[in-house]
Coordinates of all heavy atoms in Angstrom, one line a residue:
Chain C
G517 N 24.6 -3.9 -39.7 CA 23.7 -2.7 -39.6 C 24.5 -1.5 -39.2 O 24.3 -0.4 -39.8
S518 N 25.5 -1.6 -38.3 CA 26.2 -0.4 -37.9 C 27.2 0.0 -39.0 O 27.4 1.2 -39.2 CB 26.9 -0.5 -36.5 OG 27.7 -1.6 -36.5
L519 N 27.8 -0.9 -39.7 CA 28.6 -0.6 -40.9 C 27.8 0.2 -41.9 O 28.2 1.3 -42.4 CB 29.1 -1.8 -41.6 CG 30.5 -2.4 -41.1 CD1 30.8 -3.6 -42.0 CD2 31.6 -1.3 -41.2
T520 N 26.6 -0.2 -42.2 CA 25.7 0.4 -43.1 C 25.4 1.9 -42.7 O 25.4 2.8 -43.5 CB 24.4 -0.3 -43.3 OG1 24.7 -1.7 -43.3 CG2 23.7 0.0 -44.6
M521 N 25.2 2.0 -41.4 CA 24.9 3.3 -40.9 C 26.1 4.3 -41.0 O 26.0 5.5 -41.1 CB 24.5 3.3 -39.4 CG 23.1 2.7 -39.3 SD 22.3 3.0 -37.7 CE 23.6 2.3 -36.7
Y522 N 27.3 3.7 -40.9 CA 28.5 4.5 -41.1 C 28.8 4.8 -42.6 O 29.8 5.3 -43.0 CB 29.7 3.9 -40.5 CG 29.8 3.9 -39.0 CD1 30.1 2.8 -38.2 CD2 29.7 5.1 -38.3 CE1 30.1 2.9 -36.9 CE2 29.7 5.2 -37.0 CZ 30.0 4.1 -36.2 OH 30.1 4.1 -34.9
G523 N 27.9 4.3 -43.5 CA 28.0 4.6 -44.9 C 28.9 3.6 -45.6 O 29.4 3.9 -46.6
M524 N 29.1 2.4 -45.0 CA 29.9 1.4 -45.6 C 29.1 0.1 -45.9 O 28.2 -0.1 -45.1 CB 31.1 1.1 -44.8 CG 32.2 2.1 -44.8 SD 33.5 1.9 -43.6 CE 32.9 2.9 -42.3
Q525 N 29.5 -0.6 -46.9 CA 28.8 -1.9 -47.1 C 29.8 -3.0 -47.1 O 30.8 -2.9 -47.8 CB 28.0 -1.8 -48.4 CG 26.5 -1.8 -48.2 CD 25.8 -1.3 -49.4 OE1 26.3 -0.6 -50.2 NE2 24.5 -1.6 -49.4
P526 N 29.5 -4.1 -46.4 CA 30.4 -5.2 -46.5 C 30.6 -5.7 -47.9 O 29.7 -5.5 -48.7 CB 29.7 -6.3 -45.7 CG 28.6 -5.6 -44.9 CD 28.3 -4.4 -45.7
G527 N 31.8 -6.2 -48.2 CA 32.0 -6.7 -49.6 C 33.4 -6.1 -50.0 O 34.2 -5.6 -49.2
I528 N 33.7 -6.2 -51.3 CA 35.0 -5.9 -51.8 C 35.4 -4.5 -51.5 O 36.6 -4.2 -51.2 CB 35.0 -6.2 -53.3 CG1 36.4 -5.8 -53.9 CG2 34.0 -5.4 -54.1 CD1 37.5 -6.7 -53.4
K529 N 34.4 -3.6 -51.4 CA 34.8 -2.2 -51.1 C 35.5 -2.0 -49.8 O 36.2 -1.1 -49.5 CB 33.5 -1.3 -51.2 CG 33.1 -1.1 -52.6 CD 32.8 0.4 -52.9 CE 32.8 0.7 -54.4 NZ 32.6 2.0 -54.7
M530 N 35.2 -2.9 -48.8 CA 35.8 -2.8 -47.5 C 37.3 -3.1 -47.7 O 38.1 -2.7 -46.8 CB 35.3 -3.9 -46.6 CG 33.8 -3.8 -46.2 SD 33.4 -2.2 -45.3 CE 34.4 -2.3 -43.9
F531 N 37.7 -3.7 -48.8 CA 39.2 -4.0 -48.9 C 39.8 -3.1 -50.0 O 41.0 -3.2 -50.2 CB 39.3 -5.5 -49.3 CG 38.8 -6.3 -48.2 CD1 37.5 -6.7 -48.1 CD2 39.7 -6.8 -47.2 CE1 37.0 -7.5 -47.1 CE2 39.2 -7.6 -46.2 CZ 37.8 -7.9 -46.1
T532 N 39.0 -2.2 -50.6 CA 39.7 -1.3 -51.5 C 39.4 0.1 -51.0 O 40.3 0.7 -50.4 CB 39.0 -1.4 -53.0 OG1 37.6 -1.3 -52.8 CG2 39.4 -2.8 -53.5
E533 N 38.2 0.6 -51.2 CA 38.0 2.0 -50.8 C 38.1 2.2 -49.3 O 38.7 3.2 -48.9 CB 36.5 2.4 -51.2 CG 36.4 3.8 -51.7 CD 35.1 3.9 -52.5 OE1 35.1 3.5 -53.7 OE2 34.2 4.5 -52.0

Side-chain angles (χ1 to χ4, degrees):
Chain C
S518 56
L519 270 183
T520 321
M521 287 195 305
Y522 285 130
M524 283 171 263
Q525 246 160 343
I528 180 67
K529 285 227 161 182
M530 293 301 298
F531 298 85
T532 54
E533 214 161 285

